[in-house]
Amino acid sequence: MNILLITPKFPKKINEAFNITNSPLGGWIDGLINNIDTSILNLSISVFDEGKINNIKHIKTDNIDAYKIDYKDNSIIEKFFNENIYDIIHVVGIEHKYIKDIMNYLPFEKTLLNITGIQYEYEKYFFNDFSKYNPLKNPFLSLNMFIQHKIIQSRGKVEKEILKRCKYVVGRTEFDKKSVLTINPSLKYFSCNEILRDSFYTSQKWNIEKCTPKTIFVSQGSHPIKAAHKVIEMVNILKEKYPEIKCYIAGENIVRSKSILTFLGSNYASIIKSLIKKYKLKENIIYTGFLNEEEMVKKMLGCNVFLMPSSIENSVNSLQEAMLLGMPCVSSLVGGVSSLVDKNSCLTYKFNDINDAVIKISMILDNTHLSSILGESAIKRINKIADKEVNIKELISIYKNIIEDKK
């Protein structure tokens, strides 16, 4: 089988071959690439980047053909697809900017769309309580949030268009299955769970005796959907009982932003900075900046509880990674989360119920036995969901199914 993976980023080993700085985002792509057996299929991977030139760079490493396609117009995209023929084209994520540009060149009779995020669902939840965080009716803030919302809506329209034209989709939650089949009931939907980053399988497990008490870890907090504004409200309440509490938020350190938008109080960073100042939480809310795979493992093992506070998600890999480490977890019960957790492996709350979230976090901070029980159950559950061998076999079976379907 000749397989092409179209992904938003290259895995680490291919980035190194291209001399590209590795990104800590999208680590599950590394998990997928690192575990596909290239002795039983011919694997290629491509990344499309819109820019000022038309150019295709090709390298081969570890039996994988990698193509970096820079494009200023669609002619180079057409050239790539005309010159490279595959049995299956596996598009990993349909929410990305380049999808609208490659869509007209995909042979949909052999294209598999891999659902990751779902922008047309996310836009329904984009900062839905925004007015509460703009009490002064800052027109610049309103305009910026409006523009950001429109960008999500625009990508959502592209998602719907490609789903209506495609025949095959692979997802992993009841949420994404229902969502895509609502757009196109004739789609053939396959279910296949993802493989997580290698370090989370091989790492030592979380231990209550080795973590720092009264610490919370959040994997992202630079976008309204990730709900750092809700986290700050939670920490403000928790501080009354636990004055020493600290919450570490990984990803872009938006509290250091010195952009003109932040200066004008007109972006999400300005909202976060103002909330931290309002509640006097400078010592309690700590943005760590981007963490690589090893740093993420270390930080998770060192914290008391993992919190997933988003207003909407499909399948949250960071939550799965924390559960695989055996961390006690608290999560908003949104989107596809219910396909990942049960009452024994994670404590959940309704997104807007800040008080319930605080109660669930406090239960873990106060109860070492509960922490251990949750962690043990989480490991068992995610070991099944993120089983490398099972998930790779299932993916290969899906490829074969599509090829057979074409005959």
Side-chain angles (χ1 to χ4, degrees):
M1 285 187 291
N2 293 315
I3 308 296
L4 171 66
L5 288 175
I6 299 176
T7 67
K9 56 155 274 184
F10 288 119
K12 182 179 179 180
K13 60 185 177 182
I14 294 178
N15 273 336
E16 290 173 351
F18 271 123
N19 198 26
I20 298 172
T21 301
N22 196 54
S23 167
L25 301 177
W28 50 268
I29 296 173
D30 293 80
L32 173 62
I33 298 295
N34 291 343
N35 290 279
I36 287 183
D37 186 353
T38 54
S39 68
I40 63 174
L41 52 79
N42 296 317
L43 183 65
S44 298
I45 181 171
S46 66
V47 168
F48 290 83
D49 285 320
E50 186 178 12
K52 297 180 179 180
I53 61 170
N54 281 331
N55 187 49
I56 298 176
K57 291 182 180 179
H58 170 245
I59 60 170
K60 187 159 188 170
T61 179
D62 293 340
N63 290 324
I64 298 174
D65 284 289
Y67 298 89
K68 186 179 186 301
I69 299 108
D70 296 297
Y71 68 96
K72 66 176 181 180
D73 56 51
N74 290 352
S75 63
I76 197 74
I77 297 173
E78 183 176 17
K79 173 181 170 66
F80 174 78
F81 284 110
N82 284 341
E83 294 180 354
N84 298 275
I85 307 301
Y86 301 94
D87 297 312
I88 300 290
I89 296 177
H90 182 173
V91 181
V92 185
I94 62 170
E95 71 272 27
H96 305 290
K97 185 179 178 181
Y98 55 83
I99 294 297
K100 65 179 175 58
D101 297 312
I102 70 170
M103 183 166 55
N104 292 326
Y105 304 97
L106 293 172
F108 284 111
E109 72 280 359
K110 56 181 179 180
T111 294
L112 176 66
L113 301 183
N114 198 142
I115 305 302
T116 52
I118 312 175
Q119 300 294 294
Y120 63 84
E121 293 286 0
Y122 288 9
E123 67 97 359
K124 302 172 187 176
Y125 301 90
F126 179 82
F127 218 170
N128 55 9
D129 52 357
F130 166 68
S131 60
K132 175 182 175 182
Y133 298 92
N134 188 18
L136 301 179
K137 308 299 180 186
N138 183 330
F140 298 106
L141 180 56
S142 298
L143 177 60
N144 188 33
M145 292 297 108
F146 175 79
I147 292 171
Q148 296 301 315
H149 193 195
K150 284 298 179 183
I151 291 172
I152 294 177
Q153 285 182 325
S154 176
R155 292 186 182 177
K157 290 178 181 178
V158 174
E159 287 176 327
K160 290 179 180 179
E161 184 178 347
I162 195 171
L163 285 169
K164 288 175 181 177
R165 296 168 64 179
C166 195
K167 295 178 64 177
Y168 307 105
V169 162
V170 58
R172 57 201 186 277
T173 67
E174 286 300 314
F175 170 70
D176 70 41
K177 180 179 181 179
K178 179 180 178 181
S179 178
V180 299
L181 291 178
T182 298
I183 300 301
N184 183 358
S186 66
L187 280 170
K188 189 167 186 178
Y189 180 94
F190 300 98
S191 181
C192 182
N193 290 314
E194 289 185 337
I195 294 172
L196 306 176
R197 291 180 285 182
D198 288 342
S199 297
F200 292 89
Y201 293 92
T202 58
S203 169
Q204 62 179 300
K205 300 305 182 183
W206 182 87
N207 187 325
I208 185 67
E209 301 297 330
K210 296 181 180 180
C211 77
T212 302
K214 311 303 184 288
T215 53
I216 300 169
F217 183 77
V218 178
S219 65
Q220 289 188 55
S222 61
H223 190 282
I225 283 172
K226 302 301 180 180
H229 54 290
K230 296 293 187 183
V231 174
I232 293 170
E233 291 192 23
M234 295 176 200
V235 173
N236 181 51
I237 297 171
L238 287 163
K239 190 179 179 182
E240 295 179 13
K241 184 178 181 181
Y242 315 104
E244 75 277 29
I245 194 163
K246 293 187 184 299
C247 178
Y248 297 93
I249 304 177
E252 182 184 355
N253 190 343
I254 60 175
V255 297
R256 289 186 178 178
S257 172
K258 291 181 171 60
S259 72
I260 186 64
L261 291 175
T262 305
F263 176 76
L264 293 172
S266 60
N267 60 6
Y268 189 60
S270 64
I271 291 174
I272 296 303
K273 292 177 76 170
S274 66
L275 285 173
I276 291 174
K277 183 178 180 179
K278 173 184 176 181
Y279 294 126
K280 300 178 181 179
L281 297 175
K282 185 178 179 181
E283 302 301 320
N284 307 92
I285 302 290
I286 301 140
Y287 273 79
T288 68
F290 288 109
L291 302 177
N292 63 31
E293 186 175 337
E294 292 75 21
E295 290 169 336
M296 186 73 83
V297 169
K298 183 178 180 180
K299 201 66 185 175
M300 285 185 174
L301 292 177
C303 287
N304 202 158
V305 57
F306 179 89
L307 173 63
M308 202 300 290
S310 299
S311 60
I312 187 67
E313 292 282 357
N314 182 24
S315 175
V316 196
N317 281 21
S318 59
L319 174 59
Q320 294 183 69
E321 289 174 341
M323 291 172 70
L324 188 58
L325 291 178
M327 282 193 78
C329 298
V330 176
S331 175
S332 56
L333 193 58
V334 297
V337 171
S338 60
S339 293
L340 300 178
V341 309
D342 59 20
K343 63 180 181 181
N344 297 316
S345 60
C346 178
L347 302 183
T348 61
Y349 64 95
K350 292 181 180 179
F351 170 68
N352 277 318
D353 196 340
I354 297 291
N355 290 327
D356 189 40
V358 168
I359 289 170
K360 300 295 171 57
I361 294 169
S362 297
M363 287 170 63
I364 292 174
L365 297 180
D366 292 338
N367 192 327
T368 57
H369 180 66
L370 174 62
S371 297
S372 298
I373 294 299
L374 282 171
E376 290 169 6
S377 297
I379 291 170
K380 291 177 183 178
R381 185 166 180 84
I382 300 302
N383 269 334
K384 292 180 180 179
I385 291 175
D387 187 295
K388 293 181 181 182
E389 186 175 344
V390 169
N391 293 344
I392 285 294
K393 284 182 178 179
E394 185 60 40
L395 182 60
I396 299 300
S397 175
I398 291 169
Y399 290 160
K400 291 178 178 178
N401 193 310
I402 294 173
I403 290 172
E404 188 65 29
D405 202 31
K406 291 191 298 174
K407 293 180 180 178

